[in-house]
């Protein structure tokens, strides 16, 4: 759509103070104004949700000035821009985060109090956009926060799912999925931009033709066209004026109504096309490191990728930048393989829409893309059956074949006569049914490939992407993940934030390495006791919350032992369960045994189709039922599965933990980010040498970390040597007792069948080596229990954890991407007084 330039005679419009002012009186006035004019309510009839909405609009107004100034500055400067393509953005609630970033948290709290409202209650009203499954989507959200805070021009591109990750209920110990209707009360943070909609084609066939210059060209004749409508959300940076954009695409039918069908009396047929098109952005796939090869999933991927690339061409045009300079203007990060079809789509756009020849287009494509891999599980590497792919994206399949032809030639040159290598590396898997290998396409089409922790990158090069590391050693870099200290400390742990700031000033929120200055207080008994008191108060808060939600008493003096993350066999929540049963057995054998009281808390969702993960949830709940009721336990153990784990909930949980469970089988967890959030908030980690645990241990020091288990190398060796879990079962009496007790139906009302699939799997396969790591885990847990009794030592260790987690700020990760992959420059934003008109 054409923009309409402002006529010179247009008067200057001053931004109203009510939309920008940050003092208490202005905030109160603006809030009431929004309640009246946007929510259409007066206080007597307003609901808490109305108040939340009025406040959200008040804060959004304050972002708009920054947002528009930022967009205008980027546009004028034609600034090089990071485009972060991600099928998932697990943003978490916006309100609190924006208050922190704008530096108005305390003022707004005060304003609300003066109006008789409780800010914390308003926070609770926010429906969080759960547009992600777990770590990958949450990482994307942290990165947007850091990109804005580092004043880096960037756009996050994704899908505006109408239904995000399901809400989790627990019934009779089992997970039950409930639709997440996050948009039901409206979303005050987004702005629809229908004027920037684009069309996305699907299906049909291609036709070759010769253009007027005699060049070979291809025309794609689709059989379906869908509209993509962008919805923009401002992403504020921390105490800077920069405010970037998250642009999420919603699918709509090109003609919303089929009037021919309607007039012919086919009323349902008339709306069918509309519904079918909108299905594309209807729901987030609750996938769990498994590709399901579903048509809708590929449609979603292509849909948002095509929308986003077309949007970049629109921006190029508006900024008057030549198509040939696409890669100078944009650097595109592929967040996992989900957006990899972008490689073929950018080729198509450059060649078919803009008439560029192959070599030139390919050089632009490979200068533009970089690919982040997030997994070491081979089953998680996406591939699409050729038949499905070709019928949905016929032109892209042709392009991929052509990329492959060039690529296989390159392999032949570098590794002559190596047929095995050719078939291993080909973009097309021809070992059975033919598939397009998306990870291979990502590697070939990108100039940089990164893993998300040092060990992960090393293992990628060694195993999963070994051939590619030999072919393109220069492409591989590591970028260890990070998390934003704004949301995960400043917002979620205000008490700790105040204490730290009172000692070392507030700079650490932006320069997390400054936390090192806390080390000098490690022998300061006054400080340590304050540190400990804060942890205790937060545990008390969580206990109260749990009491309100579950009517369970949890003792804040007990050790809070927490494992919260998606439920997956490799993450080994069931190993944690085996430890609980071990302690329980010890108590049953000797009711007066002296053990450190513990509260075991679990949180996380299982993919709806992942039976074993759901059975693990049932097991934890079944153990909880018995342990929590048994009078012999005398409250020394408490077990709780906290339902419906979300970002909002996570913010309560991280600060309250004493012990963070990071117990995946070594070599399976790419990085982990929960491990970082726990450690920052002063929890000690019990963990394997897996993912970023390795680096956390390096930073905090081995003496402040509870390490156990086999290393990744030992895991491979053990498997190669023929691992037999029963060797451990038959030689470790405690393990045997634990397994026998579960098998006997003790935790399942005598039902010996219920947990049989899980137990049989452990006894006869144990792919994730729980039995092999059991003894070392239990011994390590015993050390944890003993150490906790020495509260001075424990506090010292926790303080050193917080002090040494600077490396795990997402600011550092983003700076690594900038330095090693993107090569962008910060652009600082001046806030103008006026929004439009001459000055
Ligand atoms: C995945 C990996 C994690 C990693 C995140 C972010 O998380 O190890 O920390 O991506 O890179 F498994 P999930 O999406 O599987 O939770």
């Amino acid at each position: 759509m054409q923009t309409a330039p402002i006529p010179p005679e247009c008067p200057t419009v001053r931004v109203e103070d009510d939309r920008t002012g940050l003092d208490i009186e202005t905030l109160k006035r603006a809030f009431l104004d929004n309640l009246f004019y946007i929510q259409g309510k007066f206080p007597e009839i307003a609901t808490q949700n109305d108040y939340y909405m009025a406040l959200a609009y008040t804060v959004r107004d304050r972002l708009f000035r920054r947002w528009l100034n930022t967009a205008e500055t980027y546009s004028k400067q034609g600034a090089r821009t990071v485009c972060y393509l991600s099928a998932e953005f697990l943003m978490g609630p916006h309100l609190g985060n924006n208050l922190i970033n704008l530096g108005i948290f305390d003022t707004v709290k005060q304003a609300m109090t003066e109006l008789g409202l409780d800010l914390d209650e308003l926070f609770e009203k926010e429906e969080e956009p759960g547009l992600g499954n777990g770590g990958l989507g949450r990482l994307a959200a942290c990165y947007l926060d850091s990109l804005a805070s580092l004043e880096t021009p960037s756009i996050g591109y994704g899908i505006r799912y109408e239904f995000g990750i399901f809400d989790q209920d627990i019934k009779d110990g089992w997970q039950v999925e409930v639709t997440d209707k996050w948009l039901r009360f409206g979303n005050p943070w987004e702005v629809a931009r229908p004027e920037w909609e684009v069309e996305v084609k699907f299906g049909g066939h291609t036709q070759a033709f010769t253009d007027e210059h005699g060049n070979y060209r291809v025309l794609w004749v689709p059989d379906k066209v869908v509209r993509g409508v962008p919805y923009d959300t401002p992403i504020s940076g921390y105490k800077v004026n920069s405010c970037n954009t998250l642009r999420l695409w919603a699918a709509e039918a090109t003609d919303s109504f089929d009037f021919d069908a309607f007039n012919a009396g086919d009323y349902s047929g008339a709306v069918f096309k509309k519904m079918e098109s909108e299905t594309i952005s209807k729901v987030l796939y609750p996938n769990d490191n498994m590709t399901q090869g579903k048509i809708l999933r590929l449609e979603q991927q292509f849909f948002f990728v095509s929308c986003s690339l077309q949007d970049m061409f629109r921006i190029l045009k508006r900024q008057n930048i030549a198509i040939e300079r696409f890669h100078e203007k944009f650097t595109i990060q592929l967040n996992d393989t989900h957006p990899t079809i972008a490689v073929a789509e950018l080729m198509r756009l450059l060649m078919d829409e803009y008439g560029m020849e192959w070599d030139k287009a390919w050089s632009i494509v490979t200068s533009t893309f970089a690919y982040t891999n997030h997994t070491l599980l081979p089953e998680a590497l996406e591939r699409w059956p050729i038949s499905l792919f070709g019928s949905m994206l016929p032109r892209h399949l042709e392009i991929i074949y052509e990329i492959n032809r060039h690529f296989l030639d390159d392999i032949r040159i570098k590794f002559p006569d190596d047929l095995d290598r050719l078939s291993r590396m080909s973009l097309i898997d021809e070992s059975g049914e033919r598939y397009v290998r998306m990870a291979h396409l990502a590697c070939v089409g990108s100039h940089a490939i990164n893993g998300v922790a040092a060990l992960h990158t090393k293992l990628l090069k060694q195993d999963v992407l070994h051939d590619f590391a030999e072919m393109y050693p220069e492409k591989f870099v590591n970028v260890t993940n990070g998390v934003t200290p704004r949301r995960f400390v400043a917002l979620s742990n205000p008490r700790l934030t105040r204490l730290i700031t009172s000692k070392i000033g507030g700079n650490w929120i932006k320069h997390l390495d400054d936390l090192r200055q806390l080390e000098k207080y490690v022998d300061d008994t006054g400080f340590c006791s304050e540190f400990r008191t804060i942890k205790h108060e937060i545990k008390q808060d969580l206990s109260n919350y749990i009491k309100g939600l579950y009517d369970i008493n949890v003792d804040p003096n007990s050790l809070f032992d927490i494992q919260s993350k998606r439920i997956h066999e490799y993450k080994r929540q069931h190993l944690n369960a085996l430890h609980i049963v071990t302690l329980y057995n010890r108590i049953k054998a000797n009711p007066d045994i002296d053990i450190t009281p513990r509260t075991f808390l679990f949180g996380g969702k299982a993919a709806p189709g992942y039976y074993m993960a759901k059975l693990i949830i049932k097991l934890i709940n079944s153990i909880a039922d018995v342990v929590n009721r048994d009078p012999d336990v005398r409250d020394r153990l408490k077990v709780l599965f906290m339902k419906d784990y979300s970002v909002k909930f996570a913010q309560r949980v991280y600060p309250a933990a004493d012990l963070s469970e990071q117990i995946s089988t070594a070599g399976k967890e790419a990085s982990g980010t929960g491990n970082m959030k726990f450690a920052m908030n002063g929890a000690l980690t019990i963990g394997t040498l897996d993912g970023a645990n390795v680096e956390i241990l390096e930073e905090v020091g081995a003496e402040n970390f509870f390490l156990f288990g086999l290393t990744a190398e030992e895991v491979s060796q053990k498997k190669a040597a023929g691992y037999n879990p029963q060797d451990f079962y038959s030689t470790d009496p405690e393990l045997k007792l634990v397994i026998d007790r579960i098998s006997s139906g003790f935790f399942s009302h005598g039902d010996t069948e219920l947990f049989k699939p899980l137990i049989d799997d452990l006894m006869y396969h144990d792919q994730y080596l729980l039995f092999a790591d059991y003894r070392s885990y239990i011994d390590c847990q015993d050390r944890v229990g003993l150490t906790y009794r020495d509260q001075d030592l424990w506090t010292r260790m926790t303080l050193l954890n917080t002090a040494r987690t600077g490396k795990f700020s997402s600011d550092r990760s983003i700076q690594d991407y900038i330095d090693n992959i993107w090569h962008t420059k910060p652009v600082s934003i001046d806030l103008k007084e006026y929004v439009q008109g001459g000055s």
Side-chain angles (χ1 to χ4, degrees):
M1 189 178 273
Q2 283 290 310
T3 51
I6 301 160
E9 65 276 14
C10 171
T12 297
V13 180
R14 195 180 153 81
V15 178
E16 293 298 329
D17 282 347
D18 271 8
R19 294 197 186 274
T20 56
L22 300 176
D23 60 289
I24 291 186
E25 287 314 313
T26 313
L27 284 164
K28 278 166 36 184
R29 206 170 52 239
F31 170 82
L32 293 171
D33 192 69
N34 283 332
L35 184 68
F36 196 87
Y37 285 107
I38 297 190
Q39 282 310 98
K41 290 282 183 74
F42 51 90
E44 285 72 15
I45 61 162
T47 62
Q48 282 287 322
N49 188 59
D50 291 321
Y51 289 130
Y52 157 71
M53 294 291 270
L55 181 57
Y57 284 116
T58 306
V59 175
R60 194 182 84 165
D61 284 344
R62 274 129 194 95
L63 292 177
F64 267 31
R65 182 164 172 227
R66 289 168 168 73
W67 200 20
L68 300 184
N69 276 296
T70 304
E72 196 183 351
T73 310
Y74 291 168
S75 180
K76 279 193 179 141
Q77 298 192 4
R80 178 165 166 81
T81 302
V82 177
C83 298
Y84 199 82
L85 260 58
S86 179
E88 301 186 8
F89 284 96
L90 190 48
M91 297 304 291
H94 290 287
L95 177 58
N97 194 59
N98 281 324
L99 295 181
I100 293 283
N101 283 2
L102 288 170
I104 55 172
F105 192 99
D106 292 338
T107 327
V108 165
K109 195 173 172 65
Q110 178 65 24
M112 291 301 106
T113 308
E114 290 180 17
L115 290 171
L117 295 167
D118 179 342
L119 184 60
D120 290 331
E121 281 173 21
L122 299 186
F123 284 154
E124 280 307 306
K125 292 318 288 181
E126 182 166 355
E127 286 273 356
E128 80 174 62
L131 310 186
N133 278 284
L136 174 139
R138 187 50 238 169
L139 183 79
C142 284
Y143 282 1
L144 294 189
D145 182 84
S146 287
L147 279 160
S149 299
L150 294 176
E151 302 179 301
T152 302
S154 59
I155 306 175
Y157 280 113
I159 302 175
R160 182 179 179 270
Y161 301 104
E162 191 180 327
F163 303 113
I165 186 74
F166 61 86
D167 294 338
Q168 179 194 54
D169 202 355
I170 301 290
K171 294 237 164 76
D172 189 28
W174 292 98
Q175 167 177 297
V176 176
E177 298 92 22
V178 183
T179 316
D180 160 56
K181 297 188 186 142
W182 72 287
L183 286 168
R184 82 191 118 173
F185 293 117
N187 173 8
W189 303 102
E190 69 184 4
V191 180
R193 307 281 195 199
E195 66 278 20
W196 292 336
E197 71 176 29
V198 295
E199 293 197 337
V200 180
K201 303 186 232 179
F202 292 93
H205 61 278
T206 61
Q207 279 169 7
F209 68 100
T210 309
D211 70 10
E212 65 274 24
H213 308 293
N215 296 322
Y216 172 87
R217 301 282 299 269
V218 178
L219 179 72
W220 176 16
V221 186
D223 60 15
K224 178 165 102 179
V225 178
V226 172
R227 286 188 303 146
V229 179
Y231 285 73
D232 287 357
T233 302
I235 304 293
S236 54
Y238 178 68
K239 292 195 176 169
V240 288
N241 294 330
S242 304
C243 188
N244 287 332
T245 298
L246 169 63
R247 181 160 293 162
L248 301 179
W249 299 93
E252 287 187 12
T254 35
D255 298 311
S256 54
F257 221 69
D258 182 346
F259 275 101
D260 286 346
F262 190 81
N263 290 334
D266 179 9
Y267 304 118
S268 55
V271 287
F272 179 73
K273 227 169 90 189
K274 175 171 163 60
M275 278 165 39
E276 198 194 38
S277 301
E278 290 177 0
T279 305
I280 292 181
S281 55
K282 204 54 139 193
V283 61
L284 167 79
Y285 266 93
N287 261 353
D288 196 348
N289 280 320
M290 281 287 283
T291 61
Q292 295 184 337
K294 290 273 164 58
I295 296 179
L296 179 59
R297 175 86 170 157
L298 182 57
E299 278 185 341
Q300 288 186 336
Q301 295 182 353
F302 178 65
F303 166 74
F304 96 89
V305 155
S306 178
C307 288
S308 309
L309 287 170
Q310 292 186 63
D311 195 54
M312 292 173 218
F313 279 100
R314 177 186 61 79
I315 294 171
L316 273 189
K317 193 166 164 205
R318 197 188 60 214
Q319 297 184 8
N320 240 331
I321 299 173
I323 302 291
E324 288 71 24
R325 295 184 49 214
F326 187 97
H327 58 293
E328 292 169 28
K329 167 72 189 172
F330 296 113
T331 171
I332 304 181
Q333 194 65 35
L334 302 171
N335 193 27
D336 215 328
T337 51
H338 316 144
T340 300
I341 187 62
V343 171
E345 174 67 347
L346 184 55
M347 282 302 281
R348 186 191 71 82
L349 289 164
L350 290 170
M351 292 191 309
D352 298 357
E353 307 282 330
Y354 294 97
M356 198 175 274
E357 45 95 20
W358 180 277
D359 289 345
K360 178 80 199 143
W362 184 244
S363 126
I364 289 177
V365 165
T366 48
S367 311
T368 300
F369 289 108
Y371 158 53
T372 305
N373 174 292
H374 293 266
T375 183
L376 287 159
L377 305 186
E379 66 268 29
L381 295 181
E382 280 193 310
R383 35 182 222 149
W384 296 105
I386 294 275
S387 50
L388 183 157
F389 196 98
S391 64
M392 190 189 301
L393 301 169
R395 177 61 181 136
H396 298 78
L397 188 57
E398 288 174 3
I399 292 173
I400 288 172
Y401 282 145
E402 187 61 15
I403 297 174
N404 203 30
R405 205 172 60 77
H406 288 261
F407 174 52
L408 295 177
D409 282 346
D410 290 348
I411 303 175
R412 282 190 197 93
I413 293 170
K414 190 152 183 177
F415 304 98
D417 306 320
D418 192 343
L419 283 181
D420 275 356
R421 186 181 294 266
L422 284 173
S423 69
R424 285 199 310 269
M425 296 185 77
S426 171
L427 303 187
I428 311 296
D429 179 350
E430 313 214 42
S431 52
E433 191 194 342
R434 296 169 74 224
Y435 289 94
V436 184
R437 293 163 160 160
M438 300 312 273
H440 293 203
L441 180 60
C443 290
V444 177
S446 299
H447 62 90
I449 302 165
N450 77 283
V452 289
L455 175 67
H456 174 225
T457 304
K458 182 178 142 204
L459 294 174
L460 275 182
K461 292 201 270 187
Q462 213 168 282
D463 291 328
V464 187
L465 298 177
H466 177 67
D467 289 325
F468 288 89
E470 285 191 339
M471 178 87 187
Y472 309 118
E474 71 290 349
K475 287 192 186 184
F476 282 77
V477 294
N478 175 58
V479 182
T480 298
N481 283 343
V483 302
T484 169
R486 269 75 68 181
R487 182 180 290 278
F488 291 106
V489 188
L491 176 62
S492 36
N493 203 339
R495 292 186 181 98
L496 182 64
T497 300
R498 271 194 298 273
L499 176 66
I500 297 174
T501 303
S502 73
K503 290 290 172 196
I504 65 171
N507 241 358
W508 61 274
I509 300 174
K510 208 165 172 77
H511 301 284
L512 204 63
D513 279 328
D514 285 4
L515 285 178
R516 287 263 173 190
Q517 294 168 30
L518 289 177
E519 285 194 33
K520 59 175 179 278
Y521 298 100
V522 77
D523 296 317
D524 177 334
T525 45
F527 182 79
C528 288
S529 115
E530 277 183 77
F531 202 81
R532 185 155 64 228
T533 307
I534 283 173
K535 180 65 87 179
H536 190 268
E537 286 169 4
I538 298 167
K539 287 166 71 179
Q540 180 69 62
D541 286 352
L542 185 61
S543 303
N544 297 343
Y545 187 75
I546 286 173
K547 175 78 181 162
L549 221 59
Y550 300 95
D551 197 23
I552 288 182
N553 292 317
V554 158
D555 179 4
N557 292 309
S558 66
L559 189 165
F560 277 23
D561 177 336
I562 307 188
Q563 188 170 19
S564 57
K565 50 181 78 238
R566 282 178 314 103
I567 313 297
H568 198 292
E569 287 161 279
Y570 86 77
K571 297 180 189 271
R572 302 200 295 192
Q573 281 89 355
H574 44 342
L575 180 59
N576 190 340
L578 298 188
H579 173 233
I580 300 172
V581 178
T582 305
L583 294 180
Y584 177 70
N585 285 346
R586 287 180 187 171
I587 290 177
K588 293 306 279 182
N590 173 10
D592 291 325
I593 191 174
D594 184 17
I595 65 164
T596 304
R598 286 204 201 211
T599 299
F600 293 93
L601 298 173
F602 293 84
K605 295 177 183 177
Y610 186 178
Y611 178 69
M612 281 301 206
K614 291 176 127 177
L615 196 54
I616 291 173
I617 295 180
K618 173 68 178 167
L619 175 66
I620 293 166
N621 282 314
S622 302
I623 294 171
D625 272 354
V626 172
V627 170
N628 294 351
R629 267 189 305 120
D630 190 332
D632 284 350
V633 173
R634 284 186 242 131
D635 283 346
R636 283 169 292 176
L637 306 179
K638 271 284 155 65
V639 185
L640 177 65
F641 188 92
M642 306 172 292
K643 66 179 179 187
D644 204 26
Y645 196 66
S646 59
V647 179
K648 201 193 266 184
F649 196 35
Q651 288 175 206
R652 286 181 186 279
V653 168
Y654 293 121
D658 292 309
L659 188 67
S660 150
E661 297 268 356
Q662 307 301 334
I663 59 177
S664 51
T665 318
K668 295 292 175 196
E669 186 72 270
S671 161
T673 44
N675 45 5
M676 303 168 184
K677 297 166 196 165
F678 278 115
M680 264 177 207
N681 283 281
L684 302 186
T685 305
I686 180 162
T688 47
L689 278 179
D690 200 18
N693 292 353
V694 176
E695 290 157 80
I696 292 178
L697 182 145
E698 263 165 31
E699 292 294 305
V700 305
E703 67 287 6
N704 301 308
F705 188 107
F706 294 103
L707 178 67
F708 77 96
L710 299 170
T711 62
E713 217 176 347
E714 288 163 350
V715 166
S716 313
Q717 284 163 1
K718 218 170 196 68
K719 286 197 162 179
Y723 169 59
N724 181 4
Q726 289 187 41
D727 294 346
F728 295 89
Y729 170 80
S730 52
T731 52
D732 189 325
E734 268 203 307
L735 173 61
K736 183 169 185 312
L737 194 61
V738 167
I739 295 299
D740 292 350
R741 197 151 240 174
I742 298 172
S743 310
S744 73
F746 187 87
F747 297 105
S748 42
H749 311 285
D751 182 348
T752 51
E753 290 300 307
L754 181 61
F755 297 119
K756 197 165 182 321
L758 201 55
I759 297 299
D760 281 355
D761 189 75
L762 292 176
M763 292 285 277
Y764 305 112
H765 305 286
D766 194 16
Q767 195 193 344
Y768 298 107
L769 284 87
L770 277 77
F771 282 12
D773 273 348
Y774 171 82
R775 180 46 47 201
S776 143
Y777 179 55
I778 298 298
D779 290 348
C780 190
Q781 285 285 21
D782 289 343
R783 287 205 303 283
V784 169
L786 285 177
T787 312
Y788 190 71
R789 291 167 179 224
D790 183 345
Q791 279 289 299
D792 288 341
L793 173 61
W794 186 275
T795 306
R796 183 190 166 87
M797 291 166 75
T798 63
L799 175 56
L800 289 174
N801 265 260
T802 298
R804 296 174 178 174
T805 43
K807 174 175 178 186
F808 305 106
S809 165
S810 43
D811 296 347
R812 190 269 313 141
S813 311
I814 288 299
Q815 196 59 53
D816 285 355
Y817 277 105
I818 291 173
D819 293 344
N820 303 323
I821 300 177
W822 300 334
H823 309 294
T824 49
K825 299 240 163 4
V827 173
S828 65
I829 307 299
D830 290 331
L831 279 193
K832 289 195 302 181
E833 277 259 11
Y834 303 99
V835 272
Q836 60 176 352
S839 45

